[in-house]
Amino acid sequence: MSKKQFLKMVILGDSGVGKTTLLQQYVTQKATGNSKPTIGADFQKKEVMVDNQQVNLQIWDTAGQEKFQSLGYAFYRGADSCALVFDITNHKSFENLAMWKKGFIENASPGDVNTYPFVVIGNKLDKEVNRQVTSQEARQWCKDNGDIPYYETSALENISVDSAFLEMAKTALKRGTQNALFSLPESIGGAGGAIKLNNFEDRGGAGAKGGAGKKKKNGTCC
Amino acid sequence: MDTFSAKAREVQRTQSANAAKEDFRSQDDIMDYFTRQMVDQGYNTYSRGSSAAARRSTAESGGELTITDSFGFVEKQDPSWGPGSSKVQIAVDEKLSRQQAQLIKQENARVMKWKEMLEEFPEKKHPKLKTRARKGIPDAIRGYAWQILIQGPKYLDAAVGGKGGPVGGRDKIALFKALMEEQADQKLLISIFKDVTRTMPEHIYFKDRYGDGQKALFCVLKCLALHEKDTSYVQGMGYMAAVLLTYMDMEDTVACMVGILRGFGMRDKFLHGMPGLSKAFYVHLSLLKKYMPKLSQHMLDINFLPQTYGSQWFMTIFSCNFPFPCIVRIWDIFTVEGRKILYRIALAVFKLNEKALLASDMEGFFEILREFQKDIEPNLLIKTALSFKFPGTLIDKLEKEYVEKPDKEIQKVCRME
């Protein structure tokens, strides 16, 4: 019997790069292209099949303004995967990827940073004419940051959105298996059922405050 | 009555002054400056054409008749003028039915009562001010009432440009002008600009890209950011400013925003690290524990955090995701009673969904709250909120407790990095 997996993902990046629209497109196959500014965070879920396994994705959409990183602590921890999003027509948003990545690592204490399933997404491919960040430049950054997979998407026109999220799910699952990720019955899931995974605990020193180093998993057995 | 007329005249004067400076020099200067910067940068906000082209298309679309609800929100469906439609019917030939006439008479009487109450405010607080605000301020006088109740000009900074007037606070118009002319950091302008084009786009005033509403919102937020040096612009302010702008001018909106931030304890929610927000979460969760202990425990168990739903509520006075008819009713009470209503509304939201939430996991919580926020009946919401009766001093007490001796379990959930 196959087990139902839960994955928590967070989407980070500058204000206005299209995080909400990406998520909207991925979950509802619709995008208005004029999402209102996200305050705090928002949440969507989606069920997908990854390698014949049913996976429940919990995807967290976050506020893009730097100030809201104070809230990050609450959203980042326990994330199995993180998408760093920039706008290909806005070089500044690309330069800020490092800041977002650092903030995530400090707050989420994701264990071994080098193997953590980040994905970089260069969004707004529909505005190619205004491109300010070349694919090459972006790929190079990803390479220098531990071979992070890179996707160029158009949230508006639904280009490569699915594959980017699928990649996140796949790598997260793979890493999860390596880390002996296991599922729990729902009754003991949640905060009470928080389980410590060795890898996360060992390496979780940097930003671990209070329960930040704990890896939380919700799950159900089918 | 005379005092009111004087005040009303003043408001009117401001309005006509604004109308006269439709081409307000520095406003356009800033927009043009801004446009140039964006284009120079190749910044893509303008990719669908230059701003001039965008303005033209705005003007062109003006030829079409847009149907809105009574608050100015564009109706989504095709206009249907049949009975039961929410649209305001324009009955040119028909005589008003007796019922309609009665309603109008009632509403006018309410407006008159409000005029009288506001005349003596803040020197004297009318004994019925609170109960009447809870019933909702008549829409015709709402914007004016908010201005009087918030007392924005009192909080304006004299040093920024406006000179302190002898009575009735600072000169909001001079201050606005000075702030408009002040050069702002480009990064700040860009961050405001990005949000202005996507705040309340379903409202007729804000729906046109680079239209008057968006321009006004941009100017207000720029002035506010320059005035509030400690917070600068923070996302969330835009929602509140947009609500205000649907009822009043730019100058008054800036004054009201400053009043809300400084006089109503909202400012510390926007400071670095958002200390006021975690404090608000603490008070909120403590009250939730008091009134709905089971639900409170369930939320702790499933790790449903206030940061996820509460940021929007408490930072914007519910103006981010609630239906507009609810927003204005909450603001009516907020401007009279202050922050207490924020906590009561939050309690009401949970109370009205308590049963479903108790049986739900974290994902379900989001679904339930999202669905609920789409369509809330204002009277029910307010009634439920007010059914939670506690003295305002309890909030002071909880805020003090948060600093001095917090409940560890709640504190853990509220804290930021």
Side-chain angles (χ1 to χ4, degrees):
Chain A
M1 197 188 286
S2 73
K3 277 177 186 165
K4 212 172 177 183
Q5 285 279 9
F6 281 80
L7 288 178
K8 176 177 174 179
M9 301 173 162
V10 289
I11 310 181
L12 308 180
D14 276 12
S15 174
V17 298
K19 297 179 294 298
T20 304
T21 311
L22 268 168
L23 189 51
Q24 199 185 16
Q25 180 66 266
Y26 182 55
V27 174
T28 65
Q29 268 81 49
K30 270 184 289 209
T32 55
N34 207 17
S35 312
K36 51 187 190 179
T38 307
I39 308 297
D42 206 352
F43 169 90
Q44 298 276 356
K45 61 172 179 176
K46 187 172 167 105
E47 276 187 22
V48 286
M49 293 297 288
V50 183
D51 303 329
N52 291 325
Q53 189 181 17
Q54 192 183 0
V55 182
N56 266 22
L57 305 179
Q58 302 180 338
I59 315 173
W60 291 77
D61 182 19
T62 60
Q65 207 179 16
E66 227 176 300
K67 209 162 214 164
F68 283 87
Q69 276 202 309
S70 333
L71 295 167
Y73 173 76
F75 306 131
Y76 298 174
R77 60 185 162 173
D80 299 295
S81 175
C82 170
L84 302 166
V85 187
F86 71 94
D87 169 0
I88 59 160
T89 72
N90 177 355
H91 203 273
K92 187 79 197 153
S93 71
F94 171 68
E95 291 160 32
N96 281 342
L97 287 186
M99 183 267 294
W100 286 110
K101 187 173 170 229
K102 188 167 164 268
F104 176 80
I105 290 166
E106 279 171 6
N107 281 298
S109 356
D112 187 353
V113 174
N114 293 321
T115 62
Y116 189 81
F118 284 104
V119 165
V120 170
I121 297 175
N123 190 36
K124 302 201 185 176
L125 203 56
D126 46 291
K127 290 176 178 170
E128 180 73 46
V129 263
N130 297 86
R131 184 191 274 273
Q132 282 187 358
V133 184
T134 64
S135 302
Q136 198 190 3
E137 190 180 0
R139 277 179 214 292
Q140 189 59 46
W141 189 88
C142 290
K143 203 174 157 216
D144 297 344
N145 279 271
D147 273 325
I148 302 177
Y150 175 60
Y151 283 84
E152 289 195 344
T153 63
S154 163
L156 211 55
E157 291 172 7
N158 199 10
I159 302 169
S160 302
V161 176
D162 275 18
S163 14
F165 280 102
L166 200 64
E167 173 74 31
M168 281 172 79
K170 270 188 182 166
T171 39
L173 277 181
K174 212 163 98 192
R175 186 173 189 257
T177 332
Q178 282 161 4
N179 287 334
L181 183 81
F182 51 92
S183 308
L184 286 175
E186 201 162 64
S187 56
I188 58 161
I195 42 166
K196 294 170 185 177
L197 296 177
N198 291 332
N199 266 16
F200 294 103
E201 283 297 290
D202 291 347
R203 304 288 299 262
K209 301 166 199 159
K214 280 183 195 168
K215 180 74 183 158
K216 287 180 181 169
K217 276 279 150 261
N218 289 341
T220 49
C221 292
C222 297
Chain B
M1 195 59 62
D2 271 2
T3 335
F4 173 74
S5 314
K7 279 180 184 170
R9 265 200 302 280
E10 198 211 329
V11 172
Q12 236 161 28
R13 190 178 53 74
T14 318
Q15 274 164 357
S16 51
N18 266 336
K21 57 175 196 254
E22 209 43 286
D23 55 340
F24 187 43
R25 203 178 56 84
S26 32
Q27 176 187 323
D28 262 359
D29 280 354
I30 285 181
M31 287 305 283
D32 285 345
Y33 157 81
F34 194 63
T35 311
R36 267 200 314 279
Q37 296 298 322
M38 301 287 269
V39 171
D40 284 354
Q41 255 197 23
Y43 191 79
N44 200 37
T45 313
Y46 286 87
S47 68
R48 294 208 175 122
S50 70
S51 69
R55 276 184 210 149
R56 219 172 24 246
S57 77
T58 301
E60 278 159 10
S61 72
E64 235 170 78
L65 182 67
T66 310
I67 311 291
T68 71
D69 68 6
S70 59
F71 291 109
F73 285 87
V74 179
E75 294 277 332
K76 277 181 193 117
Q77 289 104 18
D78 286 339
S80 59
W81 298 87
S85 108
S86 61
K87 280 135 230 155
V88 181
Q89 295 204 22
I90 307 166
V92 183
D93 301 326
E94 284 170 51
K95 277 190 180 160
L96 293 172
S97 72
R98 265 180 69 183
Q99 202 190 0
Q100 278 173 314
Q102 187 61 31
L103 277 174
I104 290 173
K105 218 173 135 188
Q106 263 176 20
E107 187 74 358
N108 284 343
R110 293 181 62 224
V111 171
M112 293 311 284
K113 283 182 193 164
W114 270 94
K115 277 181 182 173
E116 280 165 30
M117 285 195 300
L118 294 170
E119 267 169 38
E120 52 195 34
F121 193 87
E123 290 76 24
K124 232 179 96 191
K125 269 195 185 171
H126 194 283
K128 284 192 175 164
L129 180 65
K130 208 158 105 174
T131 44
R132 284 179 182 161
R134 290 175 173 189
K135 286 181 188 157
I137 301 174
D139 209 49
I141 202 171
R142 185 170 262 144
Y144 175 71
W146 285 352
Q147 287 174 39
I148 301 294
L149 293 168
I150 292 170
Q151 294 280 302
K154 216 169 80 183
Y155 300 96
L156 293 176
D157 203 340
V160 187
K163 275 193 189 134
V167 204
R170 323 277 184 197
D171 184 347
K172 61 194 176 197
I173 295 171
L175 178 90
F176 181 79
K177 219 169 156 181
L179 290 170
M180 281 301 291
E181 279 159 16
E182 202 176 310
Q183 283 292 316
D185 174 37
Q186 200 195 322
K187 211 176 124 190
L188 168 72
L189 295 177
I190 290 178
S191 69
I192 293 174
F193 193 83
K194 276 181 194 163
D195 289 347
V196 158
T197 53
R198 55 197 183 120
T199 301
M200 225 192 262
E202 63 279 17
H203 192 279
I204 189 161
Y205 188 45
F206 300 107
K207 80 177 178 41
D208 289 329
R209 219 166 160 77
Y210 318 117
D212 288 346
Q214 295 192 358
K215 230 159 132 178
L217 186 55
F218 178 81
C219 294
V220 163
L221 293 175
K222 184 231 169 186
C223 292
L224 183 67
L226 292 176
H227 190 273
E228 297 301 301
K229 298 246 182 316
D230 293 342
T231 62
S232 189
Y233 170 68
V234 182
Q235 285 182 323
M237 292 176 174
Y239 291 105
M240 291 191 278
V243 171
L244 291 167
L245 271 174
T246 62
Y247 283 98
M248 60 188 82
D249 299 316
M250 293 185 282
E251 290 89 340
D252 294 312
T253 302
V254 172
C256 280
M257 282 299 293
V258 172
I260 286 173
L261 290 174
R262 296 188 177 187
F264 286 72
M266 292 290 289
R267 187 172 154 273
D268 58 355
K269 291 175 185 159
F270 295 92
L271 290 170
H272 182 73
M274 299 177 171
L277 196 56
S278 31
K279 187 170 72 186
F281 291 156
Y282 184 83
V283 174
H284 158 61
L285 290 179
S286 303
L287 288 168
L288 193 70
K289 190 175 171 182
K290 175 178 156 78
Y291 287 104
M292 286 165 258
K294 255 175 138 176
L295 183 62
S296 154
Q297 189 55 49
H298 180 55
M299 282 164 67
L300 290 173
D301 289 345
I302 62 167
N303 212 21
F304 187 70
L305 302 168
Q307 286 87 340
T308 54
Y309 59 90
S311 313
Q312 299 173 347
W313 293 356
F314 298 130
M315 284 183 88
T316 71
I317 319 177
F318 292 91
S319 61
C320 177
N321 268 333
F322 272 47
F324 204 75
C326 290
I327 296 174
V328 292
R329 291 288 301 277
I330 296 169
W331 282 54
D332 290 346
I333 302 173
F334 180 81
T335 50
V336 172
E337 302 181 36
R339 70 199 190 293
K340 186 175 171 184
I341 190 65
L342 302 181
Y343 300 116
R344 290 172 123 179
I345 294 288
L347 286 172
V349 172
F350 285 111
K351 190 75 208 171
L352 291 169
N353 294 287
E354 192 178 13
K355 223 175 141 188
L357 291 172
L358 272 171
S360 186
D361 58 6
M362 197 198 57
E363 294 178 2
F365 262 69
F366 274 96
E367 287 307 313
I368 291 166
L369 291 186
R370 219 188 330 251
E371 279 306 308
F372 177 72
Q373 288 181 24
K374 275 185 194 159
D375 185 24
I376 314 172
E377 209 286 297
N379 288 324
L380 177 67
L381 180 74
I382 301 292
K383 201 180 132 206
T384 314
L386 296 178
S387 74
F388 293 99
K389 298 195 187 304
F390 53 89
T393 47
L394 177 59
I395 297 173
D396 301 331
K397 200 186 128 225
L398 289 169
E399 285 178 349
K400 208 172 149 211
E401 180 184 294
Y402 170 70
V403 181
E404 291 170 1
K405 208 169 129 264
D407 176 318
K408 286 276 180 293
E409 197 178 18
I410 296 178
Q411 185 206 26
K412 209 177 104 191
V413 181
C414 302
R415 76 196 189 93
M416 316 258 182
E417 43 177 336

